[in-house]
Amino acid sequence: MTARLEGRTIIVTGAAQGIGAGIARGMATEGAALVVADLNEEKAAATAASIRGAGGRAVHVRTDVTDRAQVRAAIEVAVAEFGRLDVMFNNAGFNVPQQFLDITEDNWDAVMSVNAKGVLIGMQEAAKQFIAQGGPGKIVNTASIAGREGYPSFAPYSASKFAVIALTQSGARALAQHHITVNAFSPGVVDTPLWEQLDKDLVEIGDAAEVGDAFKDFASGTLIGRAATPQDIVPTAVFLAAPDSDYVTGQVMAIDGGMVLV
Ligand SMILES: NC(=O)c1ccc[n+]([C@@H]2O[C@H](COP(=O)([O-])OP(=O)(O)OC[C@H]3O[C@@H](n4cnc5c(N)ncnc54)[C@H](O)[C@@H]3O)[C@@H](O)[C@H]2O)c1
């Protein structure tokens, strides 16, 4: 069987660790050339090196997704290294929980800036590159179960993920004329460093008694009966980056073990 992503150049933002690193590794084994774009340069370099060590093709770029010039620079690296850009995964995101009545404007601005504005910038800059290349192209955004339901201590995060779904739908409609598809995937509870921090933060704000409780509580709400690992996301990421998904656009694919049924 031929590799499903042979010859494709893919940028994944937030790919230094967690879901982004997992899907970058998985897509590299399907023949894609990866640009590991992340704020954390050291970890991004390590992830790219591990892909190369496994026989794949990857480079890293220190990228803050809230800074348009840096996103553009990451795209320029993709083109310089691998000739073109085929797929853009706007995956970087974070969450700092706060009790609803304690939410600060700073918290709102920080979360919305990375999770929503960062996705908008990534979509726009990737689309401009696809159009300059003469098309086609694929954009894949990381949504969340929190983009389908509002959680009490995650209001800015939920708002940002609802925004990701809105951007996915708007982008699909706006960019179809350029042969660009725009989709999202929506994870539930994935065992990544994000949850290590979230677990601690939820104890701090009084939502959980002990570190680990919140993760267990959330994961027990899945029909499958366990939390996901980044590996569980890989097949959907490969599908959304491959020609197999050419007739799919404007969609949000849930990979949440059956947490949210829509
Ligand atoms: N882990 C989960 O349970 C879960 C569930 C649903 C959705 N998600 C979403 O999946 C995505 C990845 O989450 P994860 O669990 O792998 O998180 P993670 O914290 O393990 O990794 C996120 C990565 O994003 C990077 N990042 C943060 N801000 C950035 C910025 N401004 N520019 C560039 N990179 C930046 C971080 O350095 C980090 O490497 C996020 O969008 C998150 O909201 C995660």
Side-chain angles (χ1 to χ4, degrees), residues 13-21 37-40 43 63-66 90-95 114-115 142-146 157 161 185-195 215 230:
T13 70
Q17 64 181 30
I19 293 171
D38 201 289
L39 204 48
N40 186 328
K43 282 193 181 170
T63 312
D64 181 345
V65 297
T66 67
N90 297 300
N91 168 76
F94 79 113
N95 184 14
V114 176
N115 298 10
T142 302
S144 169
I145 48 170
Y157 181 77
K161 293 298 185 178
F185 62 85
S186 169
V189 181
V190 190
D191 194 356
T192 69
L194 176 143
W195 262 103
F215 181 77

Side-chain angles (χ1 to χ4, degrees), residues 92-95 107-117 119 142-144 146-147 154-167:
F94 79 113
N95 184 14
N107 177 285
W108 172 269
D109 289 345
V111 171
M112 290 299 284
S113 176
V114 176
N115 298 10
K117 188 175 74 183
V119 169
T142 302
S144 169
F154 299 173
Y157 181 77
S158 285
S160 74
K161 293 298 185 178
F162 272 70
V164 169
I165 293 176
L167 289 168

